[in-house]
Amino acid sequence: MSADDRLAVVVARDRTQTVIDRLRELDAYDDDRTVQPWDDDSVAVPVTSVPADLAVRDVVRQVGEPRLRDLDDYLRERGWTDAEIDLAPASWAVVGSVVLVDVGDAPRPEEVGAALLQLHGEADTVLSRGPITGEHREPAVEVIAGTGDTETVHREHGTAYALDLAEVMFSPGNKAERSHMGAVVREARERSEPSETGAGAARHATGERERVLDMFAGIGYFTLPMARAGATVTAVERNPVSFRYLIENVQLNEVADRVQPYRADCRDVTPDLAADPVDRIVMGYYEAHEYLDAALPALAPGGVVHMHEATPDGLVFERPIERIEAAAADAGRGVEILDTRRVKSYSEGVAHVVVDARIE
């Protein structure tokens, strides 16, 4: 259809969905274009032809190139007003075949869910996401559209994560950090003259695998990319559901020879590593500083700790660094800060941060 042929019918806003349904019955609705606001109480609905028996206010030409349809378009087709669309979620995440969204103050959440399924044809379920609570960090979710199947396999950067989003947490905002941990291991392994000191450097020099302790492994968020990059990982997780998926994901990613999983409290595992300490420790928990006294004896001299924390904006990165330095001083060890990263917003005024530190 040329620009001159792009027609639209102007109808009352509250008739939008009725008119679209009728146009689809008549094979006259133009899916390649979007419904556009026309005036205060009407919209312009794109058509390939104008049915003779359809009651409309006007027939107009829509100029400009077709654009990608977004959530607003699908909600507007359902008769949502601009004021209602302003309350719709601005972001969401597709995790495997499931869409995770915080609907916030949006009216009619089930229509938000249906619109997101239209927008993401690869998804079959939409979950409204609530808070993560409890000792095992369990998610609160509600099915608002689709089949209701919350179990899926999510793939990112070559790593496959099987999980049930109604049972275990998954943070899409940590994607870059998961990739980063795989890259850190890969880069250390590929260096011909590693800069590490202590046991890690000796292992790299002889071609041995780097040894890593993941103290809060979950379903394998960091364990899997590190194992795929060549590390041998001791993965500790006490949540029985997360641990079951950890075992499944180790098999799914074909790294069973590199991962030693333990269903336990990490403080019960670290004493066994003191005699043969690891090269790297990942502490992917917002209150990880509470476990530093258990972690450091398991870390070889010159080893690296990656500590996560939920930190008030005014204390980024001062507080987590002070906590690492204090724990190291208590253990009679020195600290070199290698890197700091702000991963994402944890809550209003609080940031999820990571500090990488070498413990001498």
Side-chain angles (χ1 to χ4, degrees):
M1 180 181 292
S2 69
D4 291 340
D5 295 332
R6 292 195 186 110
L7 300 178
V9 292
V10 177
V11 299
R13 188 183 298 276
D14 59 9
R15 291 187 60 222
T16 303
Q17 192 58 50
T18 300
V19 169
I20 290 173
D21 291 344
R22 179 58 177 157
L23 288 169
R24 283 191 169 128
E25 288 177 6
L26 300 172
D27 198 24
Y29 181 62
D30 189 351
D31 280 304
D32 291 334
R33 292 180 287 145
T34 60
V35 175
Q36 301 285 341
W38 190 252
D39 54 29
D40 290 344
D41 66 344
S42 64
V43 295
V45 180
V47 295
T48 56
S49 62
V50 181
D53 61 347
L54 184 67
V56 300
R57 292 184 179 181
D58 200 357
V59 177
V60 297
R61 296 191 185 279
Q62 284 187 329
V63 298
E65 293 300 317
R67 63 180 176 84
L68 294 176
R69 295 159 66 80
D70 58 20
L71 181 62
D72 290 2
D73 297 326
Y74 289 110
L75 292 176
R76 189 169 285 113
E77 287 180 358
R78 293 173 179 274
W80 282 45
T81 66
D82 290 341
E84 289 175 326
I85 288 173
D86 287 341
L87 297 175
S91 63
W92 51 89
V94 181
V95 181
S97 59
V98 178
V99 180
L100 278 178
V101 61
D102 181 356
V103 294
D105 296 325
R108 304 185 294 284
E110 68 286 351
E111 292 189 9
V112 173
L116 285 170
L117 287 180
Q118 286 181 285
L119 188 62
H120 297 285
E122 73 276 23
D124 57 28
T125 296
V126 180
L127 295 180
S128 174
R129 177 171 49 187
I132 304 293
T133 58
E135 180 183 0
H136 290 155
R137 306 289 293 158
E138 295 162 343
V141 297
E142 178 185 357
V143 176
I144 59 173
T147 65
D149 185 0
T150 58
E151 193 168 30
T152 189
V153 176
H154 176 67
R155 290 177 169 81
E156 68 181 34
H157 302 297
T159 301
Y161 297 93
L163 73 163
D164 187 335
L165 287 159
E167 303 238 20
V168 299
M169 63 172 287
F170 189 86
S171 178
N174 292 358
K175 179 178 180 179
E177 188 64 21
R178 288 189 286 271
S179 175
H180 173 75
M181 291 313 303
V184 163
V185 169
R186 191 175 299 107
E187 289 165 7
R189 187 171 176 80
E190 290 174 353
R191 281 196 294 266
S192 58
E193 296 182 0
S195 60
E196 295 95 329
T197 59
R203 262 189 274 276
H204 284 306
T206 59
E208 294 181 46
R209 295 187 186 281
E210 182 178 58
R211 293 178 61 236
V212 179
L213 168 62
D214 188 350
M215 294 180 70
F216 310 95
I219 64 169
Y221 310 108
F222 302 116
T223 288
L224 297 171
M226 290 189 296
R228 292 184 65 246
T232 295
V233 185
T234 298
V236 187
E237 175 55 46
R238 67 180 182 180
N239 180 332
V241 178
S242 294
F243 185 77
R244 175 167 60 85
Y245 280 107
L246 172 63
I247 298 299
E248 180 177 341
N249 287 326
V250 165
Q251 299 294 330
L252 185 62
N253 288 274
E254 300 181 345
V255 290
D257 60 326
R258 301 175 213 165
V259 178
Q260 300 168 334
Y262 290 85
R263 187 190 160 201
D265 187 306
C266 56
R267 287 168 293 199
D268 295 332
V269 175
T270 51
D272 294 337
L273 296 173
D276 185 17
V278 300
D279 312 313
R280 191 182 304 277
I281 295 180
V282 181
M283 306 178 73
Y285 172 50
Y286 293 132
E287 301 294 334
H289 67 278
E290 297 179 356
Y291 295 78
L292 280 167
D293 60 340
L296 295 187
L299 185 66
V304 176
V305 62
H306 306 269
M307 190 187 83
H308 293 235
E309 184 178 290
T311 308
D313 286 339
L315 297 176
V316 175
F317 291 93
E318 177 184 352
R319 188 176 78 176
I321 290 175
E322 287 180 350
R323 285 172 163 171
I324 293 173
E325 290 175 339
D330 288 345
R333 303 176 69 169
V335 174
E336 177 190 357
I337 301 302
L338 302 177
D339 192 16
T340 57
R341 293 180 299 286
R342 185 186 291 258
V343 178
K344 64 179 186 301
S345 173
Y346 174 73
S347 61
E348 186 174 356
V350 179
H352 173 187
V353 302
V354 183
V355 175
D356 300 342
R358 175 172 289 119
I359 310 299
E360 303 299 345

